[in-house]
Amino acid sequence: MNVVIIGAQWGDEGKGKIVDFLAADAQIVVRFSGGANAGHTIVLGEEKYALHLVPSGILYPDKTVILGSGMVIDPEALFNELSMLEKKGIHWQGRVLISDRAHIVLPRYREMDRDAEAQRVKPIGTTGRGIGIAYAQKASRDGVRLADMDDDDRLVNLTQEDRAWLVRWREKLLPLCVDLIGYLRQHRNSWRLFEGAQGALLDIDTGTYPFVSSGMSCAAGAAAQGGIGPRNIDRVLGVFKAYSTRVGNGPFPTEFVDDSEGSLSQYIRKVGNEYGTTTGRPRRCGYLDLVALRYACAVNSIDRLVLTHLDVYDGLDEFEACIGYRIGDRVVEDFPASIRDLEQAKPILRTFQGWKTNLGTCRTYDELPLRAQEYIEFIEEFVETPISIVSVGSDRNQTIVRESPWIK
Ligand code: GDP
Ligand code: IMO
Ligand code: MG
């Protein structure tokens, strides 16, 4: 069975936590896109793990995790992460594989990424990890795949310096290489999770272009880049927060703006610890945007949603969520492509009553206060997609499963 998990907003929705939770029942976890721009956090009691490249099933001793074909891999970042895991007692040898179709991030790409940002009048606010450059090199057919690292014919267009650097890393990388498609074919009866990075609104095609990342973070990415065909995807889960966040620049129609919302923003950033896992930048915060969420569901065939960070609203008397945009004199119900429209959009808000209770100890849907259930059920109805899992804290066990994705 193949279950795909993607972010349904602008990243950092809690994908790492949910993939880790669901990986208990899987044998293989494939991360299908992005690179060291991602930061996926897993919390187990007192221990916290921030993963950037390694898929989120790694904490279980018996799972195989695979860095998929759509990923762009910075070997230095990867081996730093693997040694961090080793130091924490996670033995990864023999369990971490890399698709030989994945691309390499050369060290100069990071510098080129930062230079490109410095040249832009309106910077994107990239993570500076060379991601956009790696995907641009791939698209212009100047990239280097792992499969070609030891084929001198394929490296003739690289500089002397690049080649020397590659020679240093390939001895460490080659033993991890796998033909992902062949591997998954051989393990066709296994249960696999396909872990997305970033989110629907940061996807190169479906996101708020050009304020996006450069990989495929949409569900379709799991097919071409995760090593299976589109008709082999059994279920698509979209993870979203009870509110919205965004790191980096770009339109954000429901961002908290004025003075009163400023204090709400500070509250959420503090209670939700909304600082980037990769760069430490404070995340921009805003109301849940149901127009954007409905768009993410439609464009990704999300058949079940996972709601996270519901506990962050525990202390509020009331809160709001966006159910439409006002753009000039128009009321807009579908997420627009135009950046100008998104920048001018004013959210139409609906108010919800808070529950003023600690949700962190709830383990079943029935234990959730009625007002929390009302919020959940309103969202389900608005976006016409059931919410099958609710997360009420960062720990693995702070998770309420209404319906397991592993049932066909
Ligand atoms: P990802 O990129 O989608 O994997 O998300 P990140 O790890 O970048 O950011 C999510 C943050 O929220 C992490 O610090 C998680 O530990 C934390 N988190 C995940 N789920 C919940 C939740 O339900 N409630 C709270 N309060 N924190 C959560
Ligand atoms: P996870 O997987 C949130 C954002 C950056 C920037 C834009 C482009 O942890 O959800 P890039 O370095 O990719 O060229 O930056 O995309 N971005 C993310 N924001 N979560 C992520 O990953 C992100 N990966 C990239 O902040 O706005
Ligand atoms: Mg993250």
Side-chain angles (χ1 to χ4, degrees):
M1 199 176 168
N2 297 313
V3 175
V4 174
I5 300 184
I6 60 159
Q9 296 167 313
W10 279 283
D12 303 327
E13 300 90 347
K15 298 176 292 296
K17 171 192 160 155
I18 299 302
V19 171
D20 167 77
F21 175 80
L22 293 175
D25 292 318
Q27 285 88 47
I28 300 171
V29 180
V30 182
R31 177 83 182 258
F32 58 88
S33 72
N37 50 348
H40 295 182
T41 316
I42 304 169
V43 177
L44 293 184
E46 296 300 298
E47 200 67 74
K48 192 172 174 174
Y49 303 83
L51 301 173
H52 302 284
L53 287 158
V54 177
S56 297
I58 192 68
L59 301 190
Y60 300 88
D62 57 339
K63 314 293 177 198
T64 298
V65 304
I66 311 180
L67 287 76
S69 311
M71 289 189 70
V72 289
I73 293 162
D74 176 340
E76 217 167 304
L78 175 63
F79 284 96
N80 281 341
E81 199 168 318
L82 292 173
S83 48
M84 174 278 284
L85 288 168
E86 194 69 48
K87 280 195 196 112
K88 291 185 182 241
I90 310 294
H91 304 300
W92 58 270
Q93 281 86 354
R95 302 197 293 123
V96 174
L97 302 172
I98 313 176
S99 166
D100 57 7
R101 290 177 170 83
H103 279 244
I104 298 274
V105 176
L106 294 173
R108 64 184 160 87
Y109 294 177
R110 290 194 294 257
E111 215 173 294
M112 289 163 74
D113 184 0
R114 290 192 277 264
D115 286 351
E117 278 286 83
Q119 294 294 318
R120 290 183 180 113
V121 176
K122 295 204 168 185
I124 295 162
T126 73
T127 58
R129 301 293 192 274
I131 305 300
I133 306 294
Y135 282 114
Q137 294 287 94
K138 173 179 172 176
S140 65
R141 284 121 329 141
D142 294 312
V144 183
R145 301 180 309 167
L146 271 86
D148 303 320
M149 274 186 312
D150 58 352
D151 178 354
D152 288 339
D153 274 357
R154 300 269 58 81
L155 308 179
V156 286
N157 293 326
L158 295 183
T159 64
Q160 199 62 35
E161 206 180 333
D162 288 341
R163 268 184 297 196
W165 180 88
L166 264 183
V167 169
R168 279 208 306 280
W169 283 104
R170 72 183 176 203
E171 299 314 315
K172 294 185 87 170
L173 288 169
L174 284 173
L176 308 186
C177 279
V178 68
D179 166 14
L180 176 60
I181 294 91
Y183 185 92
L184 292 182
R185 193 181 57 75
Q186 286 157 27
H187 295 81
R188 62 166 70 78
N189 293 325
S190 56
W191 283 10
R192 304 86 164 263
L193 272 179
F194 293 83
E195 176 180 9
Q198 289 79 56
L201 303 176
L202 286 174
D203 175 272
I204 185 81
D205 287 296
T206 66
T208 51
Y209 188 92
F211 299 98
V212 290
S213 189
S214 304
M216 287 179 81
S217 35
C218 58
Q225 308 192 328
I228 52 167
R231 293 182 57 202
N232 292 111
I233 296 173
D234 294 291
R235 183 145 289 179
V236 179
L237 301 187
V239 185
F240 75 106
K241 284 176 176 166
Y243 46 92
S244 303
T245 62
R246 172 162 207 171
V247 231
N249 303 327
F252 186 179
T254 64
E255 184 168 15
F256 300 134
V257 277
D258 66 24
D259 278 355
S260 60
E261 290 175 348
S263 63
L264 197 50
S265 185
Q266 278 167 24
Y267 166 87
I268 286 183
R269 191 169 298 135
K270 187 159 171 270
V271 179
N273 187 27
E274 293 298 353
Y275 294 89
T277 308
T278 300
T279 56
R281 289 179 289 180
R283 294 178 183 142
R284 296 158 66 194
C285 300
Y287 303 108
L288 175 62
D289 184 341
L290 290 170
V291 177
L293 187 64
R294 187 165 55 191
Y295 165 78
C297 287
V299 78
N300 291 292
S301 310
I302 291 175
D303 41 30
R304 295 291 184 273
L305 284 163
V306 177
L307 166 61
T308 65
H309 295 79
L310 192 58
D311 55 294
V312 174
Y313 275 173
D314 284 355
L316 299 180
D317 292 320
E318 58 175 36
F319 59 87
E320 286 157 309
C322 166
I323 54 168
Y325 301 147
R326 216 166 255 119
I327 304 176
D329 53 11
R330 289 178 295 143
V331 170
V332 173
E333 294 182 339
D334 287 302
F335 193 73
S338 154
I339 297 299
R340 188 180 45 211
D341 278 358
L342 286 167
E343 281 173 349
Q344 288 174 0
K346 299 272 171 284
I348 300 169
L349 299 172
R350 183 193 192 282
T351 303
F352 296 83
Q353 295 306 307
W355 40 87
K356 305 284 277 185
T357 320
N358 174 13
L359 300 189
T361 52
C362 297
R363 295 292 176 272
T364 63
Y365 190 71
D366 291 344
E367 285 172 67
L368 290 174
L370 214 56
R371 285 174 171 174
Q373 293 186 7
E374 276 165 14
Y375 186 44
I376 291 170
E377 286 158 27
F378 181 86
I379 298 169
E380 289 181 312
E381 205 166 305
F382 192 93
V383 301
E384 297 175 357
T385 312
I387 295 174
S388 62
I389 298 178
V390 180
S391 169
V392 291
S394 55
D395 201 88
R396 186 189 277 169
N397 68 20
Q398 290 178 300
T399 313
I400 297 170
V401 180
R402 299 173 78 192
E403 182 200 71
S404 165
W406 296 115
I407 298 163
K408 275 207 191 187

